[in-house]
Amino acid sequence: MQSKAASRRGRGEPPVRQAEEAAATVSDQEIYDRIVTSIMEHRLPPGTKLGEDKLARIFGASRARVRQVLARLALERIVVLQPNRGAFVAEPTVEQAREVFEVRQPLEALVVRRIIARRDPGLIARLRAHVAAEEAAREARDRRAIIRLSGEYHVLLAELSGSSLAAGLMRELASLTCLIIFLYDAPAVPACRDEEHAEITQALADGDEAAAIRLMAEHLDHVEACLDLSRGAAQELDLDAALAG
Amino acid sequence: MQSKAASRRGRGEPPVRQAEEAAATVSDQEIYDRIVTSIMEHRLPPGTKLGEDKLARIFGASRARVRQVLARLALERIVVLQPNRGAFVAEPTVEQAREVFEVRQPLEALVVRRIIARRDPGLIARLRAHVAAEEAAREARDRRAIIRLSGEYHVLLAELSGSSLAAGLMRELASLTCLIIFLYDAPAVPACRDEEHAEITQALADGDEAAAIRLMAEHLDHVEACLDLSRGAAQELDLDAALAG
DNA sequence: TTTTTCTAAATTGTCGACAATATAATGATT
DNA sequence: AATCATTATATTGTCGACAATTTAGAAAAA
């Protein structure tokens, strides 16, 4: 099947590590977390087929278990289920990308207001620790970790806000944003938001609600502005290239 | 092939012989819709146990199918799954109730802005038709239909806004709101919002964004203000009667 | 060579059976 | 009589097997 490594740039073998083989028992949550992490770190590119049998072998779990997890991912819009065809990592359209940012904007503002209202210093400490982790990943040039941690900052924010509903929604939206960034981002991306998380955290520590909300809004605008949403997805380019040759 | 037997859709529960045929025809979506409708109409009160075997018999489907639907409902927070104990209709806490309204507030504003931006007359017509249906249900004193239709107005609004993301979120939040109203509402509730949907629709028809947003915010405030945050009631009910129809 | 048709392989959808756990029912003990 | 321990029943959790469908490949025809 796989003749040339170069030919399977688009959607080939799953980049999921096969290192740990069939251990005794792996929970649904573990399977879910590993797939989500892989997607957030772009080791599973959009469009990748997630075969049930293949995943079951990788995780050493039964197919039914994997199937359950895939159904959950599909409901969270991170994965698309095609009847009788299987599960694929979602490829959000330009339209969907805009919708995600549109919903995130007021939701993040809500989260910021809640955190300000709490005035919990321990809360700020956790945020600072996360920002430090982001900084470390950036210095280590670990681009995958950078992308994942950037998304997780917002999830952490929502969790610390005390609204489990907002946290759940943010988890979903953050994962989707990772997919969107992978699909539509220009190469020089991460520079766009290097210090913004730190600045937002500082505004929260100061209890400056207006500044925090403004910084957050600008931050989201910056990320969205970095995207090239005028043209089709990068995946279509691959298709065109393949057809030309 | 033969669908003659299916034409007999009485209120009587599907006996064994009908169950056999229904197994092939009842889709997951149908099971999902019927349970959601029953919950929205308060025929399945919060706290009701949703036994897998019992539901499977009622719908004439396999337990695995029912289990899938229950997992989906759990992910949408309408149902709670207790490990090794089963599925129960969710009983949102006071905290969760506040969270729902808190998230709905900016989300509904977003939906209103989108609809205004569209300026589609056909869209207004559909809204008016729905409001008329609400009016009819109110005149018919069909309290269950009133509650369900009230929630569905907001879902329809989100769908017509053109954002599938917002629509999906609103569907979840509307169902939760129905549960919340059942748990915490004082008896004299629906009076709270008799004409508000019509007024919002009119503002949308006029293209008056500021008025529409203000009316919507006030509407949500009114509903929330009607809630009584001191008691909670749940009673046993047999599933067959509640799911019939 | 290109297109079409048919066959074979692989993958998903569905179900029933068995094991693990919780609930109830019963009987024994204080 | 009340409480606790034990047994019995019912429900959920998990798995493998089989059927239905799709995909890939081979063979045949244009």
Side-chain angles (χ1 to χ4, degrees):
Chain A
M1 298 231 232
Q2 64 223 49
S3 52
K4 304 264 183 178
S7 67
R8 56 175 178 86
R9 160 67 186 86
R11 47 193 65 184
E13 295 298 303
V16 169
R17 284 192 298 262
Q18 204 164 354
E20 276 72 11
E21 97 293 339
T25 54
V26 54
S27 71
D28 289 13
Q29 188 63 37
E30 264 180 280
I31 299 176
Y32 171 86
D33 287 338
R34 281 184 61 182
I35 294 179
V36 168
T37 300
S38 292
I39 289 179
M40 287 189 83
E41 291 198 344
H42 294 171
R43 293 201 306 267
L44 286 175
T48 303
K49 162 134 191 183
L50 301 173
E52 297 180 358
D53 227 338
K54 200 171 284 184
L55 288 176
R57 255 189 305 263
I58 289 174
F59 291 115
S62 71
R63 216 173 49 110
R65 188 88 58 85
V66 169
R67 197 178 168 77
Q68 240 180 325
V69 173
L70 289 177
R72 173 177 172 186
L73 291 167
L75 221 69
E76 291 176 357
R77 298 160 185 259
I78 303 162
V79 155
V80 185
L81 291 183
Q82 295 185 27
N84 289 320
R85 298 236 9 246
F88 302 82
V89 178
E91 302 176 271
T93 63
V94 174
E95 196 75 21
Q96 288 172 318
R98 291 219 175 87
E99 291 177 8
V100 168
F101 282 98
E102 192 180 27
V103 169
R104 272 190 71 167
Q105 198 68 257
L107 187 62
E108 302 265 15
L110 186 155
V111 165
V112 166
R113 281 197 303 273
R114 285 187 72 110
I115 288 192
I116 292 278
R118 286 198 146 192
R119 286 188 197 288
D120 183 345
L123 194 146
I124 299 296
R126 290 191 58 183
L127 286 175
R128 288 221 164 100
H130 188 96
V131 170
E134 287 188 67
E135 189 66 29
R138 209 173 291 122
E139 283 184 13
R141 298 272 191 272
D142 187 348
R143 189 161 187 279
R144 284 174 172 167
I146 292 173
I147 296 173
R148 176 174 52 81
L149 288 170
S150 291
E152 286 178 352
Y153 173 80
H154 293 269
V155 175
L156 178 62
L157 222 55
E159 286 171 350
L160 295 179
S161 80
S163 169
S164 68
L165 180 59
L169 298 179
M170 193 65 76
R171 215 167 287 130
E172 178 179 338
L173 295 174
S175 306
L176 277 175
T177 303
C178 282
L179 286 180
I180 290 165
I181 288 176
F182 184 76
L183 277 175
Y184 300 107
D185 221 359
V189 185
C192 236
R193 48 186 167 168
D194 257 2
E195 302 300 326
E196 297 186 331
H197 286 180
E199 291 172 17
I200 292 169
T201 306
Q202 185 55 45
L204 291 173
D206 296 341
D208 189 342
E209 180 174 298
I213 289 182
R214 178 177 49 79
L215 286 170
M216 176 62 84
E218 289 174 1
H219 171 48
L220 293 173
D221 283 338
H222 289 167
V223 175
E224 190 175 0
C226 285
L227 304 182
D228 184 3
L229 295 177
S230 57
R231 57 165 206 191
Q235 181 244 334
E236 285 192 17
L237 289 182
D238 285 353
L239 249 180
D240 290 346
L243 289 171
Chain B
M1 296 223 278
Q2 63 279 32
S3 56
K4 288 299 185 184
S7 67
R8 194 174 201 272
R9 190 194 68 83
R11 63 208 70 257
E13 266 322 296
V16 186
R17 100 159 212 256
Q18 191 175 1
E20 195 173 333
E21 186 176 2
T25 56
V26 172
S27 70
D28 289 14
Q29 187 64 38
E30 272 180 89
I31 299 177
Y32 171 85
D33 287 337
R34 281 183 63 181
I35 294 180
V36 168
T37 300
S38 293
I39 290 179
M40 287 189 82
E41 291 199 342
H42 294 170
R43 292 203 306 267
L44 286 175
T48 304
K49 162 135 191 180
L50 301 173
E52 296 181 359
D53 228 338
K54 200 173 285 186
L55 289 176
R57 255 189 303 263
I58 289 174
F59 291 115
S62 73
R63 230 189 69 201
R65 188 88 57 86
V66 170
R67 196 180 168 77
Q68 251 183 322
V69 173
L70 288 177
R72 174 176 171 188
L73 291 167
L75 224 65
E76 292 176 355
R77 299 160 186 261
I78 303 163
V79 154
V80 203
L81 291 183
Q82 295 186 26
N84 288 323
R85 300 234 12 244
F88 302 82
V89 178
E91 300 176 273
T93 63
V94 173
E95 195 75 20
Q96 289 172 317
R98 291 221 173 87
E99 291 177 8
V100 168
F101 282 97
E102 193 179 28
V103 169
R104 273 190 71 167
Q105 198 69 257
L107 186 63
E108 301 265 15
L110 186 155
V111 165
V112 165
R113 280 197 303 274
R114 284 187 73 109
I115 288 193
I116 291 279
R118 286 198 146 191
R119 288 189 195 288
D120 183 344
L123 194 145
I124 300 295
R126 289 191 60 182
L127 287 174
R128 289 222 164 100
H130 187 96
V131 170
E134 288 188 67
E135 188 66 30
R138 209 173 292 123
E139 283 183 13
R141 298 271 193 273
D142 187 347
R143 190 162 185 278
R144 284 173 174 167
I146 292 172
I147 296 173
R148 176 174 52 82
L149 288 169
S150 292
E152 286 178 351
Y153 173 81
H154 294 268
V155 175
L156 178 62
L157 223 55
E159 285 171 351
L160 294 178
S161 81
S163 170
S164 69
L165 180 59
L169 298 178
M170 193 64 77
R171 215 167 286 130
E172 179 179 336
L173 295 175
S175 305
L176 277 176
T177 303
C178 282
L179 287 179
I180 290 165
I181 289 176
F182 184 77
L183 276 176
Y184 300 108
D185 224 359
V189 184
C192 237
R193 47 188 167 166
D194 256 3
E195 302 300 325
E196 297 186 330
H197 286 179
E199 291 172 16
I200 292 170
T201 305
Q202 184 56 45
L204 291 172
D206 297 340
D208 190 342
E209 180 174 299
I213 290 181
R214 179 176 49 76
L215 286 170
M216 176 62 83
E218 289 174 2
H219 172 47
L220 292 173
D221 283 338
H222 290 168
V223 175
E224 190 175 0
C226 285
L227 300 185
D228 175 20
L229 311 173
S230 58
R231 63 180 178 86
Q235 53 189 7
E236 278 288 325
L237 202 67
D238 71 321
L239 298 183
D240 298 64
L243 289 168

